[in-house]
Structure formats: structure tokens, C-alpha cells
Amino acid sequence: MAHESFGFTFWLKWILSFAGAFAVSAIFWTLLLGSVFGRIEKNELELTWCLAVFGSWFLFLIPFMRKKERIWKRFNDDQEKAAALWQVSMNYFVGVLIASCLAWSFYYRDRIAVREGGGFEPAWVKAVLATWLVSLMPLLVWMYRKTDEIFKAALERQANTKPIFRSIFVKKSERSLPSSLCEKLQGIPPTLREGHLITAVLDDGTRISDLFVVHRSEIIGVYDRASLDFDVTRIKDVDVIGSQDLPPYEESKWLRLDGRL
């Protein structure tokens, strides 16, 4: 049985990492706030603790979220840029809020400590919100400019209908698999709807990855190669690449071998 790269053990490690990150965040902020303010018992400190713990944990999870999308290869280049922009923005958004709460809690610590009754210290609330909102203005301007750049680049790319993959003409007879390998592919489900993505094993043991085969017989494309620089009659075996192991898609790296665009 083939090793499953992203099976049960892989996801179990992620779940344990999530739980462990939350525990570490809670312990860290409890010790830090306790060393500065003593007991965390006032509303301002309790809110600061909650924001710090959950905010830190959330920021820790963002890279895991992006890793999951890369594993499933559901993001194109524009989406990757948008996700990176969102990650930076969330880091700033949450980080400034936590820093604002910490700074003003320290500044008003004496007033908070002697306040009787429930509720929040009005001066603390106003200071935290004002600092946070003012600090967000540069972020909003930066996000608008970056989003506009991503949108314009995507619009320009979509408007350009000319294919960006390369194409050369190679005779069908020079790119057709040996009959024994065609028979082998008959019993294997295709990688994609159009055909199989394979790794070819040559007679000297050389492995050539990412060859695209249609009709279980004809190599129609190669990935990240300048030409069909080997004799297909030297192929002695093929390994089919599963849909979960597809290479990251970059159209400019594909070379089509039938001369069509």
C-alpha cells in the first residue's frame, strides 16, 4: 500500500498542534499579565487576557489554514496573493488591538485597581478604541492599494486570451507509449478527466516526472522541460501520479507536443 502523505497521522498532528498552541498561548499570557498586574480579576485585564490568548492562537492557525489550501492546490497565484495580504492584515489588526489593551491597561493600572463595582474604566475604553481605530487607518490605505493591484493584474490576465503555455510539434509516433504500457494504463483511473499524469521510468532507471498522457497511449504534454528530450521507446515502466500529488500548476511551464495552441 502506498504511503499516504496527508493521511490520518498527518491530520492528527495538526489537531494536536492546534490544542497545544492554545494551551501555550493561555499559559504565556497568564504568566505575563500576572507578573505585571498581579491577579487578573478586573474587567479590563480579563478582556485583555481573552483578546491576547485567542488572538495569538488565531494568528498561529493562519499559516496552517494556508498550508491546507496548498496541499489541496485550490489557490491560483491571485488567490495566494490575496491570502498573503489577508494574513498580514489580520496580524496587524489583532496585534494592534492586543498592544493597545496592554499599553492602556498598564497606563491606567492604578485607576483600574482602585475602581469599585462592575463595568469598565471609561477612560480605558476610550483610549483603547481610539488608539486601535487610528492605527487601522494606515492598514486600510495599504490594503486598498494592494487589493487594487491584485484586481488589476487578475483582470489584465483574464482579458489576455492568448495561451501562455509553449507548444511544439512532435510526431504522434514519436510520443506514443509502448503497447505494454498502454495496457497497464487501461486498468488505472485517470489522474484528471482528460488523462493520466505519469512518471516515466527509462531503461537506465532515470525517472522523468509530470508527463501528461491522453487516451492512455499518447504523451501530449511535458512539465518544466524544454523539449521531449528522450526516446519514448526507452520507457520501461510508468507510475501514475495521483490527484492528491499533482504538482503546483503554472501554465507557462507546460510544453504541448502536438503543435496546438
Side-chain angles (χ1 to χ4, degrees), residues 222-259:
V222 296
Y223 190 70
D224 204 18
R225 303 183 77 86
S227 63
L228 187 66
D229 52 1
F230 61 92
D231 188 345
V232 295
T233 60
R234 295 181 56 204
I235 301 177
K236 299 304 179 184
D237 197 8
V238 295
D239 293 329
V240 175
I241 299 174
S243 57
Q244 72 277 9
D245 296 318
L246 292 175
Y249 180 72
E250 294 184 38
E251 188 176 358
S252 60
K253 291 187 177 182
W254 278 104
L255 175 65
R256 186 159 180 158
L257 303 177
D258 61 357

Side-chain angles (χ1 to χ4, degrees), residues 128-144:
V128 168
L129 290 179
T131 303
W132 184 47
L133 292 176
V134 170
S135 300
L136 290 182
M137 295 304 296
L139 173 66
L140 295 176
V141 174
W142 179 77
M143 283 185 62
Y144 174 81

Side-chain angles (χ1 to χ4, degrees), residues 1 12 20 46 80 193 218:
M1 179 180 295
L12 179 61
E46 291 173 353
E80 279 289 347
R193 183 177 61 181
E218 176 186 348

Side-chain angles (χ1 to χ4, degrees), residues 33-237:
L33 293 178
S35 65
V36 175
F37 300 103
R39 294 186 61 184
I40 305 173
E41 56 183 0
K42 296 295 185 178
N43 291 345
E44 294 83 359
L45 298 180
E46 291 173 353
L47 179 60
T48 300
W49 182 89
C50 290
L51 291 173
V53 170
F54 285 95
S56 301
W57 185 51
F58 177 71
L59 295 181
F60 175 82
L61 296 186
I62 291 177
F64 285 88
M65 298 175 190
R66 294 195 65 193
K67 176 66 174 179
K68 173 177 67 66
E69 297 301 329
R70 291 192 179 105
I71 290 172
W72 289 338
K73 300 178 177 66
R74 298 193 300 191
F75 277 8
N76 57 31
D77 289 342
D78 293 326
Q79 291 168 330
E80 279 289 347
K81 292 177 182 177
L85 174 63
W86 178 80
Q87 180 176 353
V88 173
S89 302
M90 289 305 301
N91 287 341
Y92 184 89
F93 183 87
V94 176
V96 167
L97 179 58
I98 295 173
S100 180
C101 289
L102 288 171
W104 289 111
S105 294
F106 185 80
Y107 183 83
Y108 288 114
R109 61 186 301 183
D110 293 335
R111 189 181 300 187
I112 292 172
V114 300
R115 191 191 73 253
E116 298 293 338
F120 288 86
E121 170 60 42
W124 181 89
V125 174
K126 294 175 183 178
V128 168
L129 290 179
T131 303
W132 184 47
L133 292 176
V134 170
S135 300
L136 290 182
M137 295 304 296
L139 173 66
L140 295 176
V141 174
W142 179 77
M143 283 185 62
Y144 174 81
R145 291 178 176 176
K146 289 296 183 180
T147 302
D148 190 54
E149 291 176 6
I150 294 173
F151 175 77
K152 288 180 178 178
L155 187 63
E156 181 179 352
R157 188 180 301 109
Q158 293 171 6
N160 182 13
T161 58
K162 182 179 179 181
I164 62 174
F165 62 83
R166 294 168 295 126
S167 181
I168 60 175
F169 177 74
V170 179
K171 294 180 181 179
K172 185 176 180 179
S173 59
E174 296 177 1
R175 50 187 172 83
S176 295
L177 294 174
S179 57
S180 60
L181 299 180
C182 296
E183 293 177 0
K184 178 178 180 178
L185 292 178
Q186 290 295 327
I188 302 177
T191 308
L192 302 170
R193 183 177 61 181
E194 295 84 0
H196 294 80
L197 192 65
I198 67 168
T199 296
V201 183
L202 304 186
D203 51 11
D204 62 355
T206 301
R207 298 177 65 86
I208 302 177
S209 300
D210 304 329
L211 308 179
F212 192 64
V213 177
V214 295
H215 310 308
R216 293 178 167 83
S217 61
E218 176 186 348
I219 301 176
I220 200 173
V222 296
Y223 190 70
D224 204 18
R225 303 183 77 86
S227 63
L228 187 66
D229 52 1
F230 61 92
D231 188 345
V232 295
T233 60
R234 295 181 56 204
I235 301 177
K236 299 304 179 184
D237 197 8

Side-chain angles (χ1 to χ4, degrees), residues 4-35:
E4 187 177 0
S5 301
F6 307 113
F8 174 77
T9 303
F10 176 83
W11 293 107
L12 179 61
K13 290 179 181 178
W14 270 31
I15 293 172
L16 294 176
S17 297
F18 295 164
F22 181 79
V24 170
S25 179
I27 294 171
F28 172 80
W29 287 109
T30 300
L31 294 176
L32 179 62
L33 293 178
S35 65

